[in-house]
């Protein structure tokens, strides 16, 4: 989500079988699981992004502490710091680094947390600021932007984030009902569930995204656009809404708005290779290769030596008639794979 600060991918992927076993062993010994009685869903708070690694660790722990104080274990279980760190250490990854988005999703799935937080903490002249988003583990594109939290003390800001997490989670029962209905092709039931939940929480964008899906299933294009635009207004980086808007405006042959949606989509998550490739392909289909050149240039620079991305860039440069650029990419293709001559 946040690209101004560097995140370092895991040295060993979290799905590695040895790590899975280690993590499960850690859970078996966890004091949370040792409690009797029914417990609520889990939420994971990993290290936040920060220019100060120690601050990122401290902020995450402060949010965990505040969330535990504000909730009952029967309603919500905050994944303990020890469980998170045991999994990371087992993978050879330092516990003081913020996770890349895909790794955060993998870790949340591993520790059985249906939701997790991603965010940035900064030191301000008057205290601390935390910008964050609550993410659904089954689909990392489904998230709720939380209000920016500021306080003279880190615990003050963390307490605000904890309250926002509680508020954001109120939409989840309706979202689950909507999601299940849409997955089963019962789109009208999805619309009904989503509308019911949104009636008391109109800014619930995780739920609103499901409403967009349900409308799309019913071929209600104007309703899709209206709902997606409402999401986009409150969360300009919501990729679910932007993908739907690009799709709908393409259907309506509204090139201007489709291009605007694609541009916003690329800017929403510039480190997401699959997303950028999708946008580049859309530009190609629209014969707008020149607008794809900056995207593939950044992809190649950020992922040096990737043969697939080099090939994509080469095609884009040629289509844009940027022959010097195509020659440079071609030379790099040959350097990576001599068979490309």
């Amino acid at each position: 989500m946040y690209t101004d600060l560097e995140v370092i991918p895991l040295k060993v992927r979290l799905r590695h079988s040895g790590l899975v076993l280690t993590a499960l062993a850690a859970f078996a010994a966890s004091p949370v699981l040792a409690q009797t009685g029914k417990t609520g869903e889990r939420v994971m708070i990993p290290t936040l992004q920060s220019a100060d690694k120690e601050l990122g660790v401290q902020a995450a722990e402060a949010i965990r502490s505040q969330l535990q104080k504000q909730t009952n274990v029967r309603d919500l279980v905050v994944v303990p710091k020890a469980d998170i760190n045991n999994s990371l250490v087992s993978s050879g990854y330092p516990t003081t680094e913020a996770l890349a988005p895909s790794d955060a999703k993998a870790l949340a799935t591993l520790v059985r947390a249906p939701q997790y937080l991603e965010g940035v903490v900064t030191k301000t002249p008057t205290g601390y600021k935390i910008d964050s988003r609550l993410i659904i583990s089954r689909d990392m594109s489904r998230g709720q932007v939380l209000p920016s939290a500021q306080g003279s003390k880190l615990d003050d800001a963390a307490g605000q984030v904890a309250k926002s997490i509680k508020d954001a989670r109120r939409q989840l029962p309706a979202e689950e009902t909507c999601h299940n209905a849409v997955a089963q092709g019962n789109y009208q039931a999805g619309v009904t569930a989503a509308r019911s939940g949104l009636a008391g929480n109109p800014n619930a964008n995780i739920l609103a995204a499901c409403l967009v899906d349900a409308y799309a299933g019913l071929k209600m294009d104007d309703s899709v656009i209206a709902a997606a635009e409402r999401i986009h207004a409150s969360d300009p980086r919501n990729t679910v809404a932007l993908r739907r808007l690009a799709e709908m405006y393409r259907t309506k042959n509204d090139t201007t708005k489709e291009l605007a949606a694609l541009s916003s989509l690329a800017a929403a998550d510039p480190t997401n290779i699959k997303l950028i490739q999708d946008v580049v392909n859309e530009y190609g289909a629209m014969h707008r290769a020149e607008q794809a050149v900056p995207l593939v240039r950044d992809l190649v620079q950020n992922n040096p030596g990737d043969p697939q991305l080099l090939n994509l860039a080469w095609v884009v440069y040629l289509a844009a008639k940027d022959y010097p650029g195509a020659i440079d990419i071609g030379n790099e293709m040959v350097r990576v794979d001599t068979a490309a001559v």
Side-chain angles (χ1 to χ4, degrees):
M1 176 175 77
Y2 304 96
T3 59
D4 52 333
L5 297 171
E6 180 181 4
V7 291
I8 303 175
L10 289 175
K11 294 177 181 177
V12 179
R13 298 297 298 176
L14 292 173
R15 62 176 178 265
H16 189 276
S17 58
L19 177 58
V20 172
L21 294 175
T22 301
L24 292 178
F27 278 119
S30 170
V32 170
L33 292 187
Q35 299 181 50
T36 58
K38 184 179 182 298
T39 58
E41 286 189 333
R42 303 176 186 277
V43 63
M44 182 186 79
I45 316 293
T47 297
L48 271 61
Q49 294 184 43
S50 176
D52 180 346
K53 293 181 181 179
E54 186 175 347
L55 180 58
V57 173
Q58 293 172 345
E61 184 60 15
I63 295 171
R64 291 188 204 106
S65 176
Q66 290 293 327
L67 192 54
Q68 286 175 329
K69 290 177 182 178
Q70 295 182 27
T71 57
N72 188 296
V73 70
R74 294 184 181 277
D75 301 320
L76 183 67
V77 174
V78 181
V79 176
K81 177 181 178 179
D83 289 344
I84 294 173
N85 286 353
N86 285 342
S87 297
L88 294 174
V89 170
S90 297
S91 71
Y93 184 75
T95 59
T96 58
E97 300 287 353
L99 292 170
S102 59
D103 292 329
K105 178 186 185 304
L107 179 60
T109 301
L110 181 62
V111 301
R112 294 182 294 160
Q115 305 100 42
Y116 64 96
L117 191 78
E118 64 177 21
V120 172
V121 57
T122 54
K123 188 78 169 65
T124 70
T126 58
Y128 301 89
K129 178 183 178 183
I130 301 175
D131 292 305
S132 57
R133 180 187 295 258
L134 184 68
I135 306 294
I136 300 297
S137 301
R138 62 172 154 77
D139 183 351
M140 60 190 289
S141 69
R142 312 276 165 155
Q144 180 74 43
V145 174
L146 305 182
S148 184
Q150 298 191 57
S152 58
K153 297 180 180 179
L154 186 58
D155 274 349
D156 294 338
Q160 296 171 40
V161 174
K163 182 181 183 303
S164 295
I165 291 173
K166 289 169 51 187
D167 292 341
R169 294 189 72 257
R170 289 192 292 113
Q171 66 187 291
L172 298 183
E175 195 278 339
E176 183 177 2
T177 300
C178 175
H179 170 75
N180 291 338
V182 170
Q184 295 167 8
N186 192 349
Y187 302 115
Q188 187 57 58
V191 168
T192 300
R195 282 179 172 172
S196 176
L198 287 167
N201 191 1
N203 295 320
N205 283 342
I206 298 175
L207 178 55
C210 187
L211 177 61
V212 169
D213 291 341
Y215 280 144
L218 293 172
K219 309 298 183 185
M220 298 173 63
D221 293 356
D222 289 340
S223 294
V224 171
I225 291 174
E229 289 286 12
R230 284 196 294 272
I231 295 173
H232 181 57
S234 61
D235 181 7
R237 302 176 71 174
N238 190 295
T239 58
V240 175
L242 289 168
R243 282 184 182 275
R244 287 295 188 184
L245 287 174
E247 176 187 344
M248 290 297 100
Y249 288 132
R250 181 169 60 254
T251 299
K252 291 180 174 293
N253 295 316
D254 191 330
T255 302
T256 300
K257 289 186 177 180
E258 181 185 357
L259 287 172
L262 289 173
S263 177
S264 296
L265 184 58
D269 192 359
T271 63
N272 186 327
I273 294 177
K274 177 62 169 61
L275 182 148
I276 300 300
Q277 287 177 313
D278 290 344
V279 172
V280 168
N281 289 333
E282 290 299 328
Y283 278 142
M286 299 173 72
H287 305 290
R288 301 278 181 147
E290 67 281 358
Q291 292 181 253
V293 168
L295 298 179
V296 295
R297 182 179 61 235
D298 289 345
L299 275 182
V300 170
Q301 289 177 350
N302 296 330
N303 302 275
D306 187 311
Q308 288 186 325
L309 296 183
L310 286 171
N311 185 68
L312 175 64
W314 187 63
V315 172
V316 169
Y317 275 104
L318 286 177
K321 295 182 169 55
D322 185 338
Y323 300 122
I327 290 172
D328 290 341
I329 292 294
N331 288 333
E332 180 63 13
M333 292 172 68
V334 172
R335 187 191 68 79
V336 171
D337 180 8
T338 56
V341 173

